[in-house]
Amino acid sequence: MHHRTTAPPPLRSHAPRTASLVAAALGACSVLLLILVAVRWHPLLGLDGDLARTTHRRAVEDRGLTHVLRVLSDWVWDPLTMRLLCAAVAVWLVWRWSAWWTAWWLAVTCAVTAIVQQTVKAAVHRPRPVWPDPVDSAHYAAFPSGHALTATVVCGLLLWILHRHGPSRAVWVAAVTAAVVSVVGVGVTRVWLGVHWFSDVVGGWLFGALLTALAVMVYEWPRPAGAQLPDGRPG
């Protein structure tokens, strides 16, 4: 018979004021970049074009590295893979700790992320780079990068959950390293493969960080003294 293990007490969280301040700053940056992309600000377009041409030329020349980055982009850091990872963590939270509230919070945030991503893409409707000799292909509009946005949200949420359970220093360092490599790495792959402009990736990072901060605000919203979360843990 499986004996359910009692979850370790989560770390005392700060008031959501910090998350709200971070969200406000990220929101301002996200809106500013969105406006610059929408109005086709010339300096931004010039930077995007220069970076795109340089990386595409190298991608065509170095087919071996390009193949590795395609595998990472299409299978390891793909939005579907990231969402499946979140689903696995949600199931584990329920099975191991009976943490239904945290599991639902994780699942709903991922669903909202997908909706926001497609809504912004449809609103901006930015064309992707076009090459006579493409090394990869992608669908839908370019801004923001769905890969970068999803990876940022998923890694941010999972780090937050891990943080609340007080991991050892070694585990925390390993988790942060994996998250940083994934978020930065997926952005690099999308530009290298010629399916996104650099500002698309930055937009994905900004919107992803914004959604993560908003999700933390919801999770840490002040509750009356002694109140518990729906999964039975102290609020």
Side-chain angles (χ1 to χ4, degrees):
M1 180 181 293
H2 173 72
H3 297 285
R4 192 178 302 278
T5 305
T6 301
L11 296 178
R12 293 290 297 174
S13 63
H14 299 290
R17 180 182 178 184
T18 301
S20 65
L21 292 175
V22 171
L26 290 169
C29 293
S30 299
V31 170
L32 175 60
L33 180 59
L34 187 152
I35 292 173
L36 294 179
V37 169
V39 301
R40 300 179 61 81
W41 191 49
H42 188 266
L44 180 64
L45 297 183
L47 175 62
D48 279 339
D50 291 342
L51 289 173
R53 285 186 290 272
T54 299
T55 54
H56 179 70
R57 182 170 60 252
R58 296 185 62 183
V60 171
E61 294 171 353
D62 194 340
R63 292 286 181 172
L65 177 58
T66 297
H67 176 72
V68 171
L69 295 184
R70 282 195 64 179
V71 172
L72 289 172
S73 181
D74 296 344
W75 296 98
V76 180
W77 294 322
D78 179 72
L80 177 59
T81 303
M82 293 285 107
R83 292 173 190 136
L84 289 175
L85 175 60
C86 269
V89 171
V91 170
W92 182 83
L93 286 168
V94 172
W95 173 75
R96 185 69 183 273
W97 310 118
S98 293
W100 286 95
W101 160 247
T102 305
W104 277 111
W105 169 80
L106 184 61
V108 170
T109 304
C110 287
V112 170
T113 296
I115 294 172
V116 170
Q117 168 193 319
Q118 293 303 325
T119 300
V120 176
K121 280 180 177 288
V124 178
H125 199 62
R126 187 187 201 186
R128 292 180 183 268
V130 178
W131 309 105
D133 50 351
V135 298
D136 200 358
S137 61
H139 305 289
Y140 308 112
F143 184 89
S145 165
H147 281 66
L149 193 157
T150 305
T152 302
V153 171
V154 169
C155 290
L157 296 181
L158 297 186
L159 283 178
W160 181 256
I161 292 172
L162 181 63
H163 165 74
R164 285 184 60 85
H165 285 82
S168 66
R169 179 176 176 80
V171 170
W172 180 248
V173 170
V176 171
T177 301
V180 171
V181 169
S182 297
V183 172
V184 175
V186 73
V188 171
T189 66
R190 303 310 283 167
V191 176
W192 181 276
L193 295 174
V195 293
H196 274 295
W197 309 104
F198 177 66
S199 56
D200 298 336
V201 171
V202 175
W205 288 335
L206 286 174
F207 275 99
L210 171 61
L211 290 171
T212 302
L214 292 174
V216 170
M217 286 176 58
V218 171
Y219 194 102
E220 296 293 345
W221 196 259
R223 298 175 181 84
Q228 291 187 327
L229 294 173
D231 57 24
R233 296 185 297 100

